[in-house]
Amino acid sequence: MAENNNANVVAEEAVAIVPVEDKPCTDKEAGGSGGGGDVPATKNKNPFLEINNLDKALATMTLIFSIPILGFIVWIFYVRYSDCESILKLPSFQVEIGIALIFLFLISNGVVFLRSRHPVLGLLIVMVPLLLIFIIGLALVGAYKMESRSVAASPKWLRLKVFDEAHWQDIKSCIYDTGACDDLVSRTLMLKSYDFSLKKLTSIESGCCTPAPICEMEYVNATFWTKKEGVPNPSSPYVSECNLWDNDRGNLCYNCFSCKTGFLKTLQAKWWKLGVFLILASLLLFLAHLILFLSSVVKQFRS
């Protein structure tokens, strides 16, 4: 019996010295033990939140950049028959540019909506029309030598066409039919010589409807001038311009170099503006699509 009692005592001591494993307390238990209520669990931040916001902002910016293209398309179709350009067959070229801008608008916005599925393919598709529009814009502003004869409406192309006598005969008839000089007479009928000299004229009005200032003719009205004796200087390169002047409403200075130059300046100013718009639109859309592409790639890489 004594031995049994000793064995029971040893067993109880062994049980007493067995280490008790600590259980990790839960958040609720920790909060309850402190008496301060449950501690709210911290919210996990979305690692893609900033990327998503940037992606949406870039997509919106790209859509905004493409909106002016619609307005410019309307302008292109509205002014395609101005300034006797039909003689040089420029209206058809304007229509082609307008159609190209329509396709650019559709492709640009289509790529924006499909960027998450095919970012690389979308970038390649939109780069082709953007590059084409950019090259045409450079040609229209005369930014490189290749524009001399290859692209219609470029500065050198326009000069070759306007100073071609075969084209000029039709152009000067068109200027006469538009009544540009008759309109000038009706607007300046009551003006004296000094007042008329201060009036700002268009390039066509000053070049085709009035004699060159170096001729120093006496003003009667906008299209009727009397020649003075002894002027201009016979050695002056403009002496032929003075001899070409005729007070007949059907002639005036339509055969003068200044008239051709005035008509050329009018065309070049219009097409230069068109070229600048094409360059700016293509560059802005290119940068927007490139940044949007990089954002989409980073988003897919992190996912």
Side-chain angles (χ1 to χ4, degrees):
M1 293 294 295
E3 291 179 357
N4 291 335
N5 291 334
N6 291 334
N8 292 333
V9 171
V10 173
E12 291 177 358
E13 291 178 355
V15 172
I17 63 175
V18 172
V20 179
E21 295 181 357
D22 295 335
K23 295 182 179 179
C25 61
T26 62
D27 292 340
K28 292 183 179 181
E29 291 174 350
S33 61
D38 295 343
V39 177
T42 59
K43 295 182 179 180
N44 294 327
K45 293 183 178 180
N46 184 2
F48 305 109
L49 182 60
E50 296 182 359
I51 297 178
N52 287 334
N53 290 337
L54 177 61
D55 188 65
K56 293 178 181 178
L58 291 173
T60 304
M61 181 180 64
T62 305
L63 293 174
I64 293 175
F65 284 161
S66 65
I67 291 176
I69 295 178
L70 291 178
F72 209 76
I73 291 171
V74 175
W75 179 83
I76 284 178
F77 286 105
Y78 178 74
V79 300
R80 66 179 184 273
Y81 295 121
S82 64
D83 303 325
C84 303
E85 291 176 322
S86 59
I87 298 173
L88 303 179
K89 299 181 180 180
L90 290 177
S92 59
F93 183 59
Q94 278 190 216
V95 171
E96 293 173 1
I97 293 179
I99 294 174
L101 290 176
I102 292 175
F103 277 105
L104 176 61
F105 177 82
L106 296 176
I107 293 173
S108 176
N109 290 287
V111 169
V112 170
F113 289 110
L114 298 177
R115 67 189 183 277
S116 59
R117 297 181 181 180
H118 310 287
V120 178
L121 181 61
L123 180 66
L124 294 177
I125 291 176
V126 78
M127 287 299 108
V128 174
L130 283 177
L131 182 61
L132 179 62
I133 294 297
F134 180 74
I135 293 175
I136 294 176
L138 289 178
L140 294 181
V141 300
Y144 63 99
K145 295 181 179 179
M146 291 178 59
E147 53 83 29
S148 58
R149 297 184 182 183
S150 58
V151 180
S154 61
K156 291 184 179 179
W157 186 92
L158 290 173
R159 175 174 287 274
L160 289 174
K161 296 297 182 179
V162 170
F163 283 90
D164 182 17
E165 286 300 323
H167 288 104
W168 181 248
Q169 295 300 321
D170 296 330
I171 292 173
K172 71 178 184 179
S173 298
C174 178
I175 296 175
Y176 175 78
D177 293 337
T178 57
C181 296
D182 293 336
D183 181 64
L184 176 63
V185 173
S186 63
R187 288 188 289 107
T188 60
L189 189 60
M190 304 302 295
L191 296 181
K192 301 298 182 181
S193 176
Y194 177 75
D195 297 328
F196 182 81
S197 64
L198 297 179
K199 190 172 183 60
K200 186 177 180 180
L201 306 179
T202 65
S203 299
I204 293 178
E205 289 174 345
S206 62
C208 304
C209 306
T210 60
I214 198 172
C215 299
E216 298 182 9
M217 294 186 184
E218 185 177 352
Y219 170 84
V220 178
N221 62 40
T223 59
F224 195 94
W225 303 69
T226 58
K227 297 180 180 180
K228 296 181 180 180
E229 295 295 334
V231 291
N233 186 350
S235 62
S236 173
Y238 295 95
V239 66
S240 59
E241 295 283 288
C242 301
N243 294 332
L244 288 174
W245 171 260
D246 191 343
N247 287 319
D248 184 358
R249 292 285 184 91
N251 294 324
L252 297 179
C253 211
Y254 291 132
N255 292 317
C256 298
F257 178 83
S258 59
C259 186
K260 297 177 182 179
T261 304
F263 180 74
L264 179 63
K265 287 182 179 179
T266 302
L267 290 182
Q268 288 180 341
K270 170 193 170 181
W271 287 95
W272 184 85
K273 294 177 183 178
L274 177 57
V276 170
F277 174 81
L278 295 181
I279 292 174
L280 293 178
S282 58
L283 286 178
L284 290 176
L285 286 177
F286 171 78
L287 292 176
H289 278 286
L290 181 60
I291 298 175
L292 186 61
F293 165 75
L294 295 176
S295 175
S296 300
V297 170
V298 171
K299 181 180 178 180
Q300 290 186 358
F301 177 77
R302 289 189 177 184
S303 61

